[in-house]
Amino acid sequence: MTALAEPPVKQPAEPPAPGRRRTRSRAGRTMQGGKLAYAILIVAVLISAFPFYWTIVAASRSNADLAQVPPSLLPGSNLFRNFEAVMEEADIGKALVNSLIVSGSITVGTVLCCTLAGFAFAKLRFRGRGALLAVTVGTMMIPPQLGVIPLFMLIAELQWVNQLQAVILPGLVSAFGVFFMRQYLVQSLPDELIEAARVDGASTARIFWSIVVPIARPGMAVLGLLTFMAAWNDFFWPIVALTSSEPTVQVALRQLGGGYVQDQSVIMAGTLLGTLPVLLVFGLLGRQIVGGIMQGAVKG
């Protein structure tokens, strides 16, 4: 009678090295913030939001209420009355329309032109590309105030003084926007997509509209948000090129609270009106700012 063969003894698996076990546990662990981290974040949010809350409080109270010590931290009932005072002292309605036209035009022009230039610097090969990019980035080191006098002489020669195009055209392209989109497309746009499109017979314009724009949309949203906020808050050049008959919001706000004693509540009400469009744009595009920057910065 044949003896049955004993089954092979299964050797115990060797335990993984301590370093490997530690690496795997760290890689699979979801990092969570502690109570201290949440407390710090809550304090930072409260500190950041307090100036805007105080603007609402000051805009809804009278000048006498703001002069009290200590001032009240709760909103009052004079908000719409202060809004009416703003409309009487300054043409804030026209200023809002002018600022929307100026900021919207500058944002669209900057995003489109800078995306085109960034795509050319990032993926196209042409003679003098490096030198031209260096000159473009080098213009960022020149203070804008140095170009005010020649720029004003130019718009005066063109008879554009006190016209919105005098504020729009100088801001249609920015060196920062070109460099930002160039860096974004270098990281986010694979060369293989462009080569495949070339093989299929697509022109450069078709590649830009069908491939580059969809990939660059998060970066374009970030650039558009930053450009709109900068154009909306610009005060120096609009007050040079425009007058009180064609003001932007920032120029119109300087007309508020005049007199021997400035009415701070009216000034804060005008500031609140001038801030609301920026908050609206930030609410629409703000979600793209972190995702757009991280998508252009992380490879993989």
Side-chain angles (χ1 to χ4, degrees):
M1 187 173 181
T2 306
L4 297 176
E6 297 182 358
V9 179
K10 185 177 181 181
Q11 299 293 333
E14 295 184 1
R20 182 178 300 177
R21 178 182 300 175
R22 191 180 301 114
T23 302
R24 288 180 178 178
S25 61
R26 288 179 180 177
R29 183 177 58 189
T30 302
M31 299 184 63
Q32 297 180 355
K35 296 181 179 180
L36 179 60
Y38 285 110
I40 294 175
L41 289 176
I42 292 173
V43 172
V45 169
L46 292 177
I47 294 175
S48 302
F50 181 77
F52 181 69
Y53 175 75
W54 173 248
T55 302
I56 298 175
V57 172
S60 61
R61 290 192 168 270
S62 63
N63 207 32
D65 294 338
L66 298 180
Q68 295 178 357
V69 179
S72 177
L73 296 179
L74 297 177
S77 58
N78 294 336
L79 181 61
F80 294 101
R81 188 181 307 170
N82 291 332
F83 283 164
E84 293 177 0
V86 171
M87 297 296 181
E88 294 175 359
E89 295 184 17
D91 195 357
I92 197 70
K94 186 175 184 179
L96 287 171
V97 173
N98 288 344
S99 290
L100 286 174
I101 294 174
V102 170
S103 302
S105 301
I106 290 177
T107 301
V108 173
T110 299
V111 170
L112 179 60
C113 295
C114 292
T115 304
L116 282 167
F119 168 61
F121 283 125
K123 298 300 178 180
L124 299 184
R125 302 292 182 265
F126 55 91
R127 183 176 301 177
R129 183 183 65 166
L132 187 57
L133 179 61
V135 172
T136 302
V137 176
T139 59
M140 298 171 60
M141 294 182 260
I142 302 176
Q145 291 79 6
L146 295 180
V148 170
I149 294 178
L151 185 57
F152 184 81
M153 294 173 61
L154 177 61
I155 67 170
E157 189 70 22
L158 296 174
Q159 299 182 355
W160 286 356
V161 178
N162 199 29
Q163 298 183 23
L164 296 182
Q165 60 262 32
V167 183
I168 294 174
L169 292 181
L172 287 181
V173 181
S174 67
F176 167 77
V178 173
F179 181 73
F180 176 82
M181 292 308 302
R182 186 260 179 190
Q183 295 299 108
Y184 185 88
L185 291 174
V186 165
Q187 299 290 339
S188 301
L189 181 61
D191 294 334
E192 291 77 7
L193 287 178
I194 300 178
E195 294 174 358
R198 295 287 189 193
V199 171
D200 292 339
S203 62
T204 303
R206 182 59 183 271
I207 292 174
F208 177 79
W209 291 110
S210 301
I211 298 177
V212 177
V213 171
I215 292 178
R217 190 175 293 126
M220 294 168 69
V222 174
L223 180 60
L225 175 61
L226 299 177
T227 303
F228 184 88
M229 294 178 64
W232 185 273
N233 295 324
D234 189 17
F235 174 77
F236 182 67
W237 178 241
I239 200 173
V240 172
L242 303 176
T243 63
S244 57
S245 61
E246 287 289 341
T248 58
V249 168
Q250 309 304 326
V251 177
L253 290 179
R254 64 186 293 268
Q255 304 174 13
L256 299 177
Y260 184 74
V261 178
Q262 288 188 343
D263 195 339
Q264 298 294 331
S265 60
V266 175
I267 295 176
M268 299 305 285
T271 303
L272 181 61
L273 284 176
T275 308
L276 292 179
V278 179
L279 294 178
L280 179 61
V281 173
F282 187 82
L284 294 176
L285 300 178
R287 296 179 60 184
Q288 299 285 342
I289 188 167
V290 177
I293 292 177
M294 293 304 297
Q295 184 173 344
V298 179
K299 296 176 63 178

